[in-house]
Amino acid sequence: MDLRTRVLQSQMPDPDDAPVWINDELHAGNPYLHGFYAPVMTEVTADDLEVEGTIPADMYGAYYRQSPNPRFRPKFDHHFFDGDGMVYGIYFRDGKVSFSRKYVKTEVLMDDINGVATTRNGMMAEFDLRDAEARGYEEVRNPDYVRDTANTTLNIHNGKLITGWYNAGAVYELDPVTLDTKGLQDFGGSLRTTLNAHPKTDMRTGELIGYDYADFESFYTYYVWDKHGALKHVARIDLPGPRLPHDITITENYSLLHDWPFFHDPDMLKSIGRRVVTFKPDMPSRIGVLPRYGTQDQVKWFEFKPGYVLHMVNAWEEGDWIIMDGCMQPDPRIKRDPAEGPLASMLAYMRVKSHLYRWRMNVRTGETSEESLDDLNVEFCLPDVDLYGQKTRYSYHQHIPLEAKTLIFTDLVKYDHETMKREMVSYGDGWLGSESAFARSTNGGAEDNGYVVTICTNLETYASECWVYAAQDIQAGPIAKVKLPSRCGPGFHATWVQGEHIWG
Ligand SMILES: [Fe+2]
């Protein structure tokens, strides 16, 4: 049996450095705690790492990756989304590479460390509480049991590295060099709610653009902060009901707010407080186009086919048209297999089926069009993140095999959004990758003049390496492989930050 087949079947042996509690009766059968997914316990820093190949002289910056990594034994069934945020930084400077990995010192993690609380883990409340009473999980419905673990995204803004959390969360500021947690970032007191996981930094203006949503609120709170972190604009944007979006897209002049027909069933939420994610195929998807500093009365809503999108690639303006490309899930219904027991909904939810898709909106005439751009199953997509809001030609995605039982990235995919050609390269049997970020060459040049960076882990040895591809020829394979000092496990989102934002 080859290694890829083994991981698809979740039969990986556990690595030597995994915590012992993963084999407790409660956790022994949870694939998101074992093998490739086994938590790592240590914080690590290392300089001048061994490199196979050569680090290009025009790489100057850092690849950052967020990871869900439970530090303590979860009290209830563990959901992959519930892991404590652990941040990886791989720094490229003067042809040398250094590494750092640290936990985000969130309030909930510090409570656990100080013995104030014991590993509340509430994401299961969203998925598998059909037998809540029998399993003694009633208390999970208490909002206090939902951990904001700051484990999902990293963004650079105002020279600060800031975290984001899946369910809209608090923002923590990290030192971009040491990865030490500097504390909560509330933008001078102006962030009075939580913030969505994927706010966007417009690198032309330095502004940060994001919004808040919540279980019981039929509106978004939309924010724009300037390049110094001062609040520039805030607006309440009304909705037909509470929604469960994830991303936001920006163009030079507009922000695009998402209203997908995939949200917590409002009746269940109201009556018994159960968060059951439900698809409404009879409702349209809606994209709200808002001038960047606009208010409720200026939003134009455009309707499209029903579906759900976790992550957009980018959006931009072409005359009166707004073009938005992203990873569309035409049928996001959670197809639960009861045979998989109490974890069935979580396991099903992680089996993402999405492909590259384009939405077009004319802000003058109200016309729309939409089309699939490809049929390959891809997600975790990034353009050059310094070009959010501007027209981009290239993006980098992860291929997720449809037959995979757990969320794995087996191939790197590059799309050309003009020719709609794709290039694809496997990480190879026995290797899994991470969300891959584009590192622009310090020499400038064409949009794809630079490198694609990812962390790969070998499923037999559990060695992890940082692989660097020439972005203009990913199919040639990595031009450099950096030996990392520790097993790195799975990740969520990654980004690249140019060195001038880190070291000046
Ligand atoms: Fe995300």
Side-chain angles (χ1 to χ4, degrees):
M1 185 185 300
D2 68 26
L3 287 167
R4 185 178 299 208
T5 307
R6 282 170 57 190
V7 78
L8 296 179
Q9 295 183 351
S10 301
Q11 292 177 344
M12 293 300 302
D14 289 332
D16 294 339
D17 59 347
V20 294
W21 52 256
I22 61 174
N23 288 310
D24 287 359
E25 188 180 348
L26 179 63
H27 299 305
N30 188 331
Y32 284 100
L33 287 171
H34 291 273
F36 172 66
Y37 299 92
V40 294
M41 294 290 100
T42 52
E43 297 187 329
V44 177
T45 56
D47 294 324
D48 206 2
L49 301 176
E50 179 189 345
V51 179
E52 179 187 325
T54 304
I55 299 300
D58 57 344
M59 276 186 92
Y60 177 56
Y63 170 86
Y64 295 109
R65 194 194 77 172
Q66 268 279 24
S67 305
N69 192 82
R71 175 64 184 81
F72 296 100
R73 179 186 181 277
K75 187 173 177 182
F76 305 110
D77 280 325
H78 175 66
H79 192 289
F80 189 42
F81 289 173
D82 261 335
D84 293 292
M86 186 173 245
V87 181
Y88 290 75
I90 302 176
Y91 301 87
F92 297 80
R93 193 181 191 186
D94 300 327
K96 294 187 185 307
V97 188
S98 59
F99 175 92
S100 185
R101 169 172 89 198
K102 289 188 180 161
Y103 282 101
V104 184
K105 305 302 187 301
T106 58
E107 290 183 345
V108 291
L109 178 60
M110 295 314 292
D111 279 353
D112 279 342
I113 288 172
N114 295 320
V116 177
T118 50
T119 56
R120 299 168 298 192
N121 51 318
M123 283 304 290
M124 272 298 167
E126 200 159 300
F127 292 92
D128 278 291
L129 282 181
R130 286 164 178 77
D131 54 354
E133 284 176 42
R135 295 176 66 80
Y137 277 24
E138 278 298 301
E139 59 185 306
V140 179
R141 288 185 189 152
N142 180 335
D144 288 346
Y145 271 78
V146 178
R147 293 163 55 94
D148 179 346
T149 54
N151 67 8
T152 310
T153 60
L154 293 163
N155 282 289
I156 196 83
H157 170 250
N158 185 26
K160 303 172 194 295
L161 190 64
I162 55 173
T163 64
W165 182 57
Y166 161 75
N167 223 8
V171 176
Y172 288 87
E173 180 191 340
L174 311 180
D175 184 306
V177 176
T178 65
L179 300 183
D180 288 337
T181 303
K182 299 178 83 169
L184 282 166
Q185 167 62 270
D186 66 359
F187 304 91
S190 62
L191 176 61
R192 296 186 177 186
T193 62
T194 54
L195 192 65
N196 75 306
H198 291 276
K200 293 290 183 290
T201 303
D202 182 338
M203 296 304 276
R204 286 173 307 185
T205 65
E207 292 168 311
L208 181 72
I209 299 139
Y211 65 103
D212 172 65
Y213 59 94
D215 284 348
F216 294 98
E217 291 174 353
S218 299
F219 59 89
Y220 297 150
T221 306
Y222 165 78
Y223 296 94
V224 182
W225 290 279
D226 74 11
K227 63 183 178 183
H228 304 298
L231 183 68
K232 197 163 182 180
H233 180 69
V234 60
R236 172 181 161 139
I237 307 299
D238 287 335
L239 298 163
R243 291 294 186 263
L244 192 62
H246 187 60
D247 209 349
I248 184 173
T249 21
I250 59 170
T251 69
E252 185 175 350
N253 296 296
Y254 298 98
S255 293
L256 312 182
L257 299 169
H258 306 172
D259 172 5
W260 310 110
F262 185 64
F263 46 80
H264 295 135
D265 182 281
D267 296 332
M268 300 280 247
L269 201 57
K270 261 189 211 157
S271 58
I272 54 171
R274 252 181 70 179
R275 296 196 291 270
V276 180
V277 188
T278 309
F279 183 47
K280 309 277 188 186
D282 52 336
M283 289 175 61
S285 297
R286 300 194 315 146
I287 302 297
V289 178
L290 172 72
R292 183 168 294 185
Y293 315 113
T295 52
Q296 162 70 29
D297 54 342
Q298 294 175 288
V299 185
K300 284 184 186 162
W301 289 99
F302 293 82
E303 294 192 353
F304 295 97
K305 289 178 187 170
Y308 183 65
V309 175
L310 271 171
H311 304 115
M312 289 293 175
V313 173
N314 200 5
W316 59 86
E317 296 166 33
E318 293 183 7
D320 293 328
W321 286 92
I322 290 176
I323 317 297
M324 181 171 72
D325 290 353
C327 296
M328 169 69 151
Q329 301 179 41
D331 184 358
R333 266 175 282 218
I334 297 171
K335 296 174 183 67
R336 189 174 183 273
D337 176 2
E340 292 187 312
L343 302 174
S345 293
M346 188 260 286
L347 295 172
Y349 183 78
M350 303 307 298
R351 291 169 192 147
V352 175
K353 291 182 177 59
S354 67
H355 59 272
L356 191 58
Y357 201 84
R358 174 166 290 176
W359 297 258
R360 297 172 77 246
M361 292 150 270
N362 189 304
V363 292
R364 188 174 55 82
T365 65
E367 288 173 273
T368 62
S369 70
E370 58 188 308
E371 60 179 326
S372 291
L373 299 177
D374 194 21
D375 58 5
L376 185 70
N377 201 54
V378 290
E379 240 293 349
F380 287 79
C381 48
L382 289 175
D384 177 344
V385 297
D386 285 359
L387 299 178
Y388 276 132
Q390 304 174 53
K391 183 174 182 178
T392 43
R393 179 168 177 177
Y394 303 106
S395 62
Y396 308 90
H397 300 232
Q398 301 303 310
H399 170 51
I400 302 167
L402 286 169
E403 68 275 22
K405 297 293 184 194
T406 55
L407 181 67
I408 55 172
F409 305 150
T410 56
D411 306 79
L412 171 63
V413 180
K414 177 188 180 186
Y415 278 106
D416 180 331
H417 293 242
E418 281 185 20
T419 64
M420 280 328 303
K421 285 187 179 155
R422 72 164 187 246
E423 295 169 51
M424 182 164 161
V425 58
S426 168
Y427 296 119
D429 276 348
W431 290 89
L432 295 178
S434 306
E435 187 169 57
S436 303
F438 174 75
R440 191 175 66 254
S441 163
T442 53
N443 298 326
E447 185 191 311
D448 61 349
N449 186 30
Y451 307 93
V452 185
V453 188
T454 193
I455 293 175
C456 288
T457 296
N458 183 284
L459 301 176
E460 189 164 18
T461 64
Y462 289 119
S464 291
E465 300 180 352
C466 179
W467 291 3
V468 178
Y469 296 80
Q472 292 179 340
D473 190 7
I474 62 166
Q475 287 175 312
I479 59 169
K481 293 180 174 179
V482 182
K483 312 292 179 187
L484 300 180
S486 173
R487 178 172 65 88
C488 294
F492 281 152
H493 291 289
T495 195
W496 172 265
V497 177
Q498 289 292 121
E500 60 261 32
H501 302 293
I502 303 169
W503 301 292

